Amino acid sequence: MTTFPTAQAVRTTPEGLLWEPSERWVRGRKGDVTVVDSRHPVLVWEPGVPVPLYAFPRAEVREELLRPAKNPPTGTHSGSRIFYDLEVDVELVENAAWTFPAADLADHIAFEWFRRVGRGLDHWYEEEEEIFIHPRDPHKRVDAIPSGRHLVVEIDGTVVADTNRPVLLFESGLPTRYYIPREDVRLDLLTPTDHHTGCPYKGTAEYWSWRGEADVPTNLVWSYPDPLPAVGAVQGLLAFYNEAVDITLDGERVERPVTHFTKALAEQART
């Protein structure tokens, strides 16, 4: 009889790390060179970090490309002390990999993701699909659901969106995001920017800023022109940071949430 993993499969180390095995085939590349090719990865959650990382058995890592780090950092990755520089095609990437300070994970190596921290491996794949920024969390769910609710968005008292056909995106750990057809948004009040972000659940987003003089953050509005299939319903629609605008849903004002974006948005509003 096969016993399938449950929440009990998540294990805790004395250092406060959470980890669990994954059944996904994962590859990581630096340029055209495959550095990791693993069918036995584990997901690791560090204390205070909301998203997981992968760690891989040493046998599934090209260790001949790793060098003991010349300048290992301190106080990062839960107090890890063993770091590696990565050398690929005469390019040296400092502190690209490390071993977590936990007996359970001593035979595993983790890597930085370039699109998340600016160094590390460039491209990552789960099965045949490329993923971005960080691994997908198997305990997280994202649902994009078309709605007929009446939604109004205001900035500094000015209505910038008014729709009866939003798509509501429900994502574990985040407030509901409201995606609005462009025809129902005052695009003349917004300016496109060159800012982009990536999300392993939704894809790559493009952004707009508010044209007015209100004290609001830059890059306040975003859209996914080519979203991942799981959230295809939001394609081309625009969303606003609930944390920084006023939203009224079916006649009731939605309270501004406090999230891990709140501080960064406040700082952007002051610059």
Side-chain angles (χ1 to χ4, degrees):
M1 184 178 73
T2 301
T3 301
F4 291 97
T6 66
Q8 298 301 317
V10 179
R11 303 156 199 187
T12 304
T13 74
E15 297 78 11
L17 296 164
L18 302 178
W19 69 277
E20 70 175 19
S22 172
E23 295 184 346
R24 301 187 183 197
W25 174 30
V26 178
R27 281 98 67 221
R29 295 178 183 169
K30 175 64 178 173
D32 294 328
V33 176
T34 298
V35 180
V36 176
D37 188 334
S38 177
R39 288 170 171 78
H40 307 91
V42 299
L43 285 161
V44 183
W45 289 263
E46 298 182 88
V49 180
V51 298
L53 287 165
Y54 275 124
F56 308 96
R58 289 178 177 271
E60 297 178 337
V61 173
R62 289 190 60 185
E63 287 195 83
E64 76 274 12
L65 301 176
L66 300 180
R67 313 282 181 264
K70 293 181 179 179
N71 301 294
T74 58
T76 62
H77 295 303
S78 305
S80 296
R81 295 183 178 181
I82 300 175
F83 287 83
Y84 301 95
D85 297 338
L86 173 68
E87 186 172 356
V88 175
D89 294 335
V90 306
E91 179 185 355
L92 188 70
V93 182
E94 291 193 350
N95 301 310
W98 70 94
T99 298
F100 284 110
D104 291 357
L105 301 171
D107 293 329
H108 289 70
I109 297 175
F111 287 82
E112 298 287 12
W113 291 42
F114 180 83
R115 297 194 188 188
R116 184 179 179 196
V117 299
R119 70 177 188 280
L121 303 192
D122 308 306
H123 298 282
W124 289 93
Y125 301 85
E126 290 178 348
E127 302 300 332
E128 296 300 333
E129 184 174 349
E130 186 169 9
I131 55 174
F132 307 95
I133 311 300
H134 60 79
R136 294 167 179 160
D137 188 329
H139 306 287
K140 189 180 184 77
R141 181 172 181 134
V142 181
D143 295 303
I145 305 177
S147 175
R149 303 178 74 176
H150 182 210
L151 179 77
V152 177
V153 180
E154 297 176 68
I155 297 177
D156 196 32
T158 299
V159 174
V160 292
D162 189 333
T163 188
N164 287 293
R165 47 180 185 159
V167 171
L168 276 56
L169 191 137
F170 302 94
E171 183 172 351
S172 302
L174 286 174
T176 304
R177 299 301 191 190
Y178 305 96
Y179 284 78
I180 304 167
R182 293 179 182 231
E183 298 82 0
D184 298 338
V185 177
R186 289 282 308 275
L187 290 174
D188 59 305
L189 300 177
L190 305 174
T191 301
T193 75
D194 59 2
H195 184 59
H196 291 82
T197 59
C199 172
Y201 308 104
K202 298 184 288 291
T204 300
E206 57 188 12
Y207 284 78
W208 289 258
S209 289
W210 170 245
R211 283 181 180 270
E213 298 180 356
D215 185 21
V216 296
T218 57
N219 300 308
L220 186 65
V221 187
W222 71 90
S223 178
Y224 289 95
D226 187 22
L228 296 176
V231 293
V234 305
Q235 182 172 21
L237 278 59
L238 276 67
F240 294 75
Y241 275 111
N242 314 36
E243 296 89 336
V245 301
D246 295 316
I247 294 178
T248 302
L249 186 64
D250 289 337
E252 295 185 11
R253 180 61 59 89
V254 177
E255 184 177 353
R256 291 189 183 185
V258 176
T259 70
H260 62 278
F261 294 110
T262 300
K263 182 178 179 181
L265 289 168
E267 292 174 351
Q268 292 174 28
R270 292 195 294 268
T271 58

